[in-house]
Amino acid sequence: MLHLRVITPSDRTDEVVLLIEKTVGTTHLVVLPGAARDPAGDVVMCDVAREAGDELLAALRGLGIDTTGSIAVESIDLSLSERADRAEADAPGEGADAVLWEQLTDATHEESTLSVTYLAFITLATMIAACGVVLDNAILIVGAMAVGPEFGPLAGLSTAIVRRRPRLALRSLIALLVGFAAAMAVTVAFSLFMDAVDLFSEQQLKADRPNTGFIYAPDWFSFVVAVLAGIAGTLSLTSAKSGALVGVAISVTTIPAAANAAVALSYGDTKQTWGSTEQLLLNLLGIIVAGTLTLLAQKWLWSRQPKNAP
């Protein structure tokens, strides 16, 4: 279930209340006349089944409530109410299959912001992965994958394509390009420093690396895994099962590939640099294609569900 808190101008309250009452899957309607001060107006609250949430949000935006007032949505972790159970049963479809497009767009917008924190995480993850590739240490590689924040902009790009949001697409693309460029540049400097203090060596990079050699040797399996990870990651975002994102993060080699390319570049190893770059681009492409197709499939499947009726 979702909890909606709407601030509406007093002259639009009746329309909002009527809309909520007509939407199948809503319950626990509360109206507080004159309770809002900034912006001034009435407060209308209700609970709505997740599968009816997107339709209700779209209708509220159609009334202009997002510009004249506000619409806030929260997930309800526990609701002990027979009315709530009945509302969920009456709403068409399954809550786990429903996509809250406004929530998804907002979440990916935030995750796609090029911030100091984002740059710090992607740079630290790449530096950790650099240690992993030089030492041929799979544990460090997995740790770097888990730290990397790159799935946010990738999901943002897929969402922007499906939702036709050019600004979100541009924001996501900038975060990806600038983030990886900055992380790799810092990692090159980090690699040179580690070499200067005898912690990295070119011999380690060029030695047999059974645990990490795949990073600079892309093949079709790399693309297949990226596609599967993109599907899983997108489903975890749309179904609010964020725990699955950790598994997605450690199944693709974006961060390790960037790290291997940076270390190889610092030693002038063009073969590994190019192979790692191919691996990076292949993974990025697979995730974006899979994420976009998954969202399109979800949108189509949900359009086949019976609509709410008064």
Side-chain angles (χ1 to χ4, degrees), residues 1 23-28 47-49 51 79-92:
M1 292 290 289
T23 301
V24 176
T26 60
T27 187
H28 303 153
D47 294 341
V48 57
E51 51 268 43
S79 179
L80 302 178
S81 167
E82 290 186 3
R83 288 180 176 271
D85 294 340
R86 189 160 56 248
E88 287 188 312
D90 291 342

Side-chain angles (χ1 to χ4, degrees), residues 226-245:
V227 167
L228 296 176
I231 295 172
T234 302
L235 289 175
S236 71
L237 284 178
T238 57
S239 63
K241 296 185 182 296
S242 58
L245 281 176

Side-chain angles (χ1 to χ4, degrees), residues 34 48 56 71-72 77 96 102 129 131 162 167 182 184-185 189 191 209 224 242 244 248 260 310:
V48 57
L56 179 56
I71 306 170
D77 295 328
E102 294 299 334
C131 296
V162 174
R167 289 187 178 181
M184 292 173 71
S191 179
R209 289 156 46 195
V224 170
S242 58
V248 172
N260 201 91

Side-chain angles (χ1 to χ4, degrees), residues 255-266:
I255 292 292
N260 201 91
V263 176
L265 183 62
S266 71

Side-chain angles (χ1 to χ4, degrees), residues 12 30 41 87 101 105 110 126 142 178 196 198 253 255 289 299 301:
R12 307 300 299 275
V30 177
W101 291 102
T105 302
E110 182 178 349
T126 307
V142 171
V178 176
D198 293 328
T253 54
I255 292 292
V289 170
K299 187 176 182 179
L301 288 171

Side-chain angles (χ1 to χ4, degrees), residues 41-112:
D42 302 335
V43 176
V44 180
M45 295 182 288
C46 73
D47 294 341
V48 57
R50 181 181 174 85
E51 51 268 43
D54 190 65
E55 183 179 343
L56 179 56
L57 288 174
L60 288 171
R61 294 197 68 181
L63 293 177
I65 303 303
D66 56 320
T67 56
T68 59
S70 77
I71 306 170
V73 183
E74 297 176 325
S75 295
I76 300 175
D77 295 328
L78 176 64
S79 179
L80 302 178
S81 167
E82 290 186 3
R83 288 180 176 271
D85 294 340
R86 189 160 56 248
E88 287 188 312
D90 291 342
E94 295 294 332
D97 297 331
V99 179
L100 296 177
W101 291 102
E102 294 299 334
Q103 184 183 57
L104 177 63
T105 302
D106 184 69
T108 52
H109 181 279
E110 182 178 349
E111 293 294 326
S112 301

